Amino acid sequence: MDLRGWLSRRLPVRPLVVPVPGGTASRLAAERTCRTRGWYSAASPAEANLLVVAGATDGALEAAVERVWQSMPAPRARAAIARAEHAEGQLDAAEATLRDTFRQRRQATETVHPGPEPEMAGRGEDRDGLMLDQLTVPLGPVLPEWPAGLVLHTTVQGDVIQDARVELLGLGQVSGGTPWWPYGGGTPRRGLAARHLDTCASLLTLAGAGRAAITARRLRDDVLLGRPAAELTGPLRRWSAGVRRSWPLRWLLSGLGPVDDDLAPPPHLAGDVLARLRRFATAAEEALADLDEDGALPGRSGDESGDAQWTIETLPRLLAGSELAAARLLVASLDPDIEALTGREVRP
Amino acid sequence: MIELTPWWGALLLPPVLAAFAVAAAVFDSALTARAAGAPAPRAAAGAPLRAAGGLLLQQRRRTLAADAPLWRGAGITLAAAGVLASLVTPLGRWAVGDLSVGIVWFNAMEIVAWAAVWLAGWGANSAFGLVGGYRFIAQGLSYELPHMFALTAPAIGAGSLRVADVVSAQDGLWFAVWMPVAFLVFLATVLAMAFRRPFDHPVSRDTAGGVLAELSGVDRLVFLAGRWLLLVSGAGMAVALFLGGGAGPLLPAWLWSVLKTAAVLAALVWAGHRLPTVRMDRFAELAWLVLIPATLLQALFVSIVVI
Amino acid sequence: MWQEIVFWLCAAGAVGTGIAVFRVDSMARATFALLASFLFGAGTVLLVELTYLGVLVILMMIMEMVIMVVFMVMYMMNPAGLMPMSMLHNQRGSLAIAAGTFALLTAGIYLVDWPTSRAPRPGDPTKALGEALMGPKMLVMIVLGLALFATIVATVVLATNRGRYDRYGDRLERDRPDDPVRGGVGR
């Protein structure tokens, strides 16, 4: 009996979705397809068996994706989703490759998987004045719940970030200042509600609030697929109220990643992680109130590129002295839309 | 009364624990599938076994400059800790081992998990793995003292460290009833020692899976199995120490033990789906400012009642 | 018979892993070799039926070694941590000390006229030992315990570089403490 083939046919698919600037639509389509098929996303290349690249990559980003691919153990397959409407077909094809034992046998030739090698960067004083070893650790561009195209070159001691430098990848392929929301051909309000829900979903996933995160993703997909507003109001209001009133989230997120007013943040990014989460949850609900109307957009300044520019300029200051977990939550709560930066001069 | 099984009881222990572990994993995956709106829950029931099969197929990963013996040994150590901790846990009237200091033995074997998890994080030579390892040690230093005091309460109540004595001391009234604080803290710390959500910060997604970040194939399978075994052994001990062991009307004692253990396991898994991940900075504070005083007061209360 | 086999296994294991501490070139391996050596030592304690002490040695040693390895990897290095390092320092001196201690202990074993007892073994040696040590001197032990605890608290208070006056202000006037990470229990 062919045990390998039998197991291969039953193997659960674990996708690792790599977001690429300009590929938001592809990413959303890929995430939706994976979710409805019951493919839970992997946290690392070691766990993944399907690499999904959502968008067109170039140069340094291409090299980073290739490194991730090299570090994935067989059986494995990859799907490049250049256009959202091809997502289902590409994922089908990749799944077939994954379950094909003949093709997988050829995959399993490389033996050493070059992981992210930590690099010593000498020693320095930590935040309590002790001399400790430092490591240089790049965060991104392939990391769960991480903004597309962002790389933070950090110096860490233990799990405390001493110093961070921003690099942006993959902006060459983006065709001029695409805002997040034209996806799906819906109204701006639908796009905005989806954007808020997407931010909340990443943030809640990192906070470990799995149920609320999954609900946010389902609502996001429903909003973008054009489900009538009347059907969405109830579930969205319940979700939003649940997130805003949850006392465990309040205890865990309050006081984290504070953005003080002297940094002159865009109004919707002020406060701590909890304040931003609550603000986005409320804004998603408000955007839904008249989903298919035009008019002023709640919860965003409307200048995505300005917000993203402020975020990448301020991140190094916000991250110095921050613990890794807090840093991840902070970045997710600011959720800069890197692809919006193509229209302007980038000064990381 | 508790009696020792013949020598082959020790051979039966791992499969019994594994059966509980599989059942718990199936329940966990059904809960996940329901929340995700994924295809039928029946498919979810097979998911853990299919995932295990998938891990058998998967290549074992090798990273640059990894400390291979320590790294690969971590999973086996964790699984061994889960099984050895259950050596003194009775199932109905039978126990594989009956040490005079059974409770301390159980505690010592859980601590083996500290070494195992740290090694898994450190051995791969990956920054995220190392951070996961640090987080587990911080978690251990936070949960261990409340856990020990929660174990102390039933030991004082029964006047013995022998698990059999603790079970028989609950003839009239389960310890869970008059030591509720110790019981709840014990359950929470069992989740923490098996680093299940809400205490899954050492394997959290923000560090790409933490100590699990670089593990693949059979290494990952053994490590994850060890984690479930640890949770099962904690649930089994909760039944023996707080829920009267195999005591109950009508049904045979072993069946009561099985039912109670399953119920405790289900409650633990369910709680994990309801609560967000507790980060170490917050948990350390909660443990030292709230849980330790609470369990100390519980132990004091129990001591006064016993005297 | 089997006790002798186990004893010699433990003895050889303890010495072997003890030697390994100085043969491996990594801080983590050295620490875990030392841990293995302690665990073999705990095996011999279990053999003389001091169950409580034996299990306690296992428990404490794992905890201590794991905490030690974290501190080692984080603080004490260049070039340890993620890189290999040698565990050998001051070789000649330590060799002399080790040989001297070994000779002294061995001489002690063979030269001292160890007393033997005809009294029957107590049922629970750990309890008997505890009572013999503590029974008549309980008050002393309690005072000692308190003194130890007070010392620990005092050391921590002296060592911390941010006390409550740094957090709440010189007159403890702040409502919210000024912490590197805000938030937490009751805040």
Side-chain angles (χ1 to χ4, degrees), chain A residues 30-53:
Chain A
E31 284 185 1
R32 189 183 62 240
T33 312
C34 291
R35 182 177 62 74
T36 52
R37 291 181 183 185
W39 299 354
Y40 300 115
S41 64
S44 70
E47 188 188 2
N49 51 26
L50 175 62
L51 182 68
V52 183
V53 182

Side-chain angles (χ1 to χ4, degrees), chain B residues 4-285:
Chain B
L4 281 184
T5 59
W7 62 270
W8 46 262
L11 299 182
L12 272 181
L13 181 65
V16 169
L17 293 175
F20 274 115
V22 170
V26 165
F27 181 58
D28 179 54
S29 123
L31 286 180
T32 312
R34 207 184 63 173
R42 196 178 301 163
L49 291 175
R50 289 192 293 126
L55 288 176
L56 287 177
L57 273 187
Q58 199 182 31
Q59 256 183 324
R60 289 172 84 185
R61 208 145 173 280
R62 296 202 298 175
T63 52
L64 277 176
D67 195 334
L70 293 185
W71 187 31
R72 309 250 187 243
I76 298 164
T77 312
L78 191 67
V83 173
L84 286 176
S86 282
L87 216 57
V88 292
T89 311
L91 178 83
R93 289 185 298 114
W94 312 300
V96 176
D98 184 30
L99 292 179
S100 59
V101 292
I103 292 179
V104 188
W105 171 264
F106 170 76
N107 199 218
M109 289 306 111
E110 294 161 22
I111 302 240
V112 173
W114 286 30
V117 176
W118 193 81
L119 283 178
W122 186 83
N125 190 24
S126 132
F128 286 146
L130 190 60
V131 168
Y134 287 152
R135 284 181 181 175
F136 190 69
I137 302 307
Q139 178 153 311
L141 291 173
S142 305
Y143 82 72
E144 194 52 46
L145 280 178
H147 183 76
M148 282 178 172
F149 290 130
L151 281 172
T152 310
I156 299 172
S160 166
L161 287 169
R162 190 187 294 270
V163 180
D165 296 342
V166 178
V167 173
S168 50
Q170 300 175 69
D171 254 352
L173 192 61
W174 290 357
F175 282 169
V177 178
W178 65 283
M179 308 174 185
V181 177
F183 179 54
L184 291 177
V185 170
F186 183 82
L187 290 183
T189 51
V190 162
L191 280 171
M193 95 193 178
F195 46 107
R196 303 271 331 159
R197 195 172 277 178
F199 299 105
D200 62 346
H201 208 218
V203 292
S204 155
R205 275 180 84 80
D206 65 346
T207 45
V211 294
L212 287 171
E214 306 292 333
L215 279 172
S216 77
V218 71
D219 299 312
R220 192 183 183 89
L221 177 63
V222 172
F223 192 84
L224 290 176
R227 187 184 179 202
W228 279 112
L229 288 175
L230 214 55
L231 188 74
V232 170
S233 68
M237 192 46 96
V239 170
L241 294 187
F242 292 99
L243 297 176
L250 297 174
L251 300 175
W254 65 268
L255 191 55
W256 271 117
S257 274
V258 169
L259 290 177
K260 288 178 192 174
T261 307
V264 171
L265 259 181
L268 291 176
V269 171
W270 181 85
H273 280 263
R274 289 282 153 175
L275 293 167
T277 298
V278 179
R279 292 191 323 280
M280 277 326 100
D281 52 331
R282 297 285 142 105
F283 183 50
E285 188 188 32

Side-chain angles (χ1 to χ4, degrees), chain B residues 77 84 105 108-109 111-112 115, chain C residues 6 9-11 13-15 17-18 31-47 53-66:
Chain B
T77 312
L84 286 176
W105 171 264
M109 289 306 111
I111 302 240
V112 173
Chain C
V6 175
L9 281 180
C10 282
V15 174
T17 47
T31 310
F32 282 91
L34 187 59
L35 172 58
S37 188
F38 282 134
L39 294 185
F40 282 120
T44 59
V45 178
L46 287 174
L47 272 184
L53 285 184
V55 176
L56 207 63
V57 168
I58 297 177
L59 192 154
M60 299 303 288
M61 280 308 145
I62 297 176
M63 267 183 156
E64 281 173 23
M65 288 301 124
V66 172

